[in-house]
Amino acid sequence: MPFTIATWNINSVRLRAPIVQKLLLDEGPDVLCLQETKSPVDKIPAEVFAEIGYGHMVARGQKGYNGVAILSKLPIEDVGAEDFASLGHARHVAGRLENGVTIHNFYVPAGGDVADRTVNEKFGQKLDYLTEMRDWFRGDKPEKAILVGDLNIAPREDDVWSHKKLLKVVSHTPIEVEQMAETQDAGNWVDITRQDIPDGQLYSWWSYRAKDWSAADKGRRLDHVWATPDISNAAHSSRVLRDVRGWEKPSDHAPVFATFDL
DNA sequence: ATGGTAGGTCTCCTA
């Protein structure tokens, strides 16, 4: 039966609970993974989601920054969270559905402004985070798993509005793209979004700083859906809900969806 | 070359 998953960097789940509810009502995914919830877990308005059919949640949070949550219509078991690069940040949580599918929800560090770890500690932390993700998946190969989240890297030339202009901009530098590829290879992860939409420009994030984000269209594909090879063939119908970026009081990210016939 | 916006927390940090 079809199983639909979505990922969305929400930039404060408390402020934007009304549009989370709207997305769930409009689109009805089985699972919605949120990043940048910016809330301790006990202050996430879970009842707002439970009353429309999303009665299950696994989450990690902290005050003010980061935070990840998986909202689900289906029962989901908390199977832990990793603190890659030992940052003490809530950037990962994993859940397992009753059909045995494991869901990893990630919020990879953005990495600061300068793409040089000798002058920008945050860039080093981002690279270390990716290295530890890679080593973790190498040591314990995922099976029947879906990995989603804001990975804060746009890997392909057509994942950014200008490959040339962004080559030195954090999120699209060669070292980040290379490390992302190593992490992907380590888990044999298949990029489901690009499996379904192989050609053309595709973005999931547009800066708040543009005067008219849609007209300028200076986007980047920072949000990803990956799956292991044992279920990647079951995936179809990937889409980015660009219109959501234009909703009232929007997140700067649009949700990314994929459906699996499991 | 620069500054532009947004959210959370406690006057600045992060994105």
Side-chain angles (χ1 to χ4, degrees):
Chain A
M1 63 180 207
F3 167 81
T4 296
I5 187 166
T7 179
W8 194 12
N9 178 317
I10 195 60
N11 187 17
S12 175
V13 69
R14 282 187 273 176
L15 188 74
R16 282 187 247 284
I19 63 168
V20 172
Q21 199 180 38
K22 175 172 164 55
L23 183 80
L24 295 172
L25 289 169
D26 285 3
E27 300 293 333
D30 296 286
V31 166
L32 173 62
C33 295
L34 299 170
Q35 304 85 35
E36 275 205 274
T37 49
K38 293 187 171 179
S39 172
V41 172
D42 61 2
K43 296 215 165 105
I44 295 174
E47 64 288 349
V48 170
F49 312 129
E51 71 195 17
I52 57 166
Y54 294 82
H56 305 91
M57 178 175 86
V58 299
R60 293 294 185 277
Q62 60 186 95
K63 207 166 138 187
Y65 304 99
N66 312 312
V68 284
I70 307 174
L71 308 180
S72 179
K73 282 182 178 174
L74 311 164
I76 186 165
E77 177 194 359
D78 189 321
V79 290
E82 294 295 318
D83 180 20
F84 296 114
S86 304
L87 301 171
H89 296 172
R91 295 183 176 276
H92 169 248
V93 72
R96 188 168 297 133
L97 300 168
E98 287 177 334
N99 62 5
V101 170
T102 301
I103 296 166
H104 290 282
N105 182 10
F106 276 98
Y107 175 48
V108 170
D113 288 332
V114 183
D116 178 351
R117 67 180 306 153
T118 66
V119 296
N120 171 21
E121 182 186 36
K122 290 199 183 71
F123 194 69
Q125 290 172 348
K126 182 179 197 173
L127 299 181
D128 291 345
Y129 195 94
L130 292 163
T131 298
E132 293 193 17
M133 274 177 78
R134 179 199 67 190
D135 292 345
W136 195 63
F137 287 126
R138 266 187 193 159
D140 188 7
K141 292 282 184 188
E143 294 177 2
K144 282 189 78 176
I146 301 171
L147 182 158
V148 305
D150 178 2
L151 305 184
N152 266 313
I153 297 171
R156 293 176 22 158
E157 295 193 14
D158 52 5
D159 290 336
V160 294
W161 66 276
S162 168
H163 169 63
K164 210 174 159 184
K165 286 198 170 73
L166 290 177
L167 267 171
K168 293 181 177 173
V169 174
V170 174
S171 73
H172 191 62
T173 64
I175 187 166
E176 291 170 89
V177 172
E178 171 55 30
Q179 287 217 213
M180 183 182 194
E182 283 187 17
T183 300
Q184 193 177 340
D185 289 348
N188 296 319
W189 295 107
V190 177
D191 178 346
I192 297 300
T193 310
R194 281 306 193 178
Q195 174 179 276
D196 290 349
I197 311 169
D199 301 313
Q201 303 300 122
L202 188 64
Y203 316 137
S204 65
W205 172 88
W206 296 261
S207 172
Y208 283 125
R209 294 174 188 172
K211 279 198 183 95
D212 183 339
W213 69 272
S214 190
D217 202 22
K218 293 183 173 180
R220 306 177 201 170
R221 187 171 71 101
L222 304 180
D223 302 277
H224 298 269
V225 178
W226 293 352
T228 48
D230 48 1
I231 58 169
S232 62
N233 290 340
H236 59 88
S237 307
S238 289
R239 60 253 184 228
V240 178
L241 273 59
R242 180 186 172 111
D243 289 353
V244 173
R245 177 62 179 80
W247 285 2
E248 183 123 358
K249 289 277 281 173
S251 167
D252 46 355
H253 294 252
V256 181
F257 279 64
T259 300
F260 294 78
D261 292 331
L262 294 173

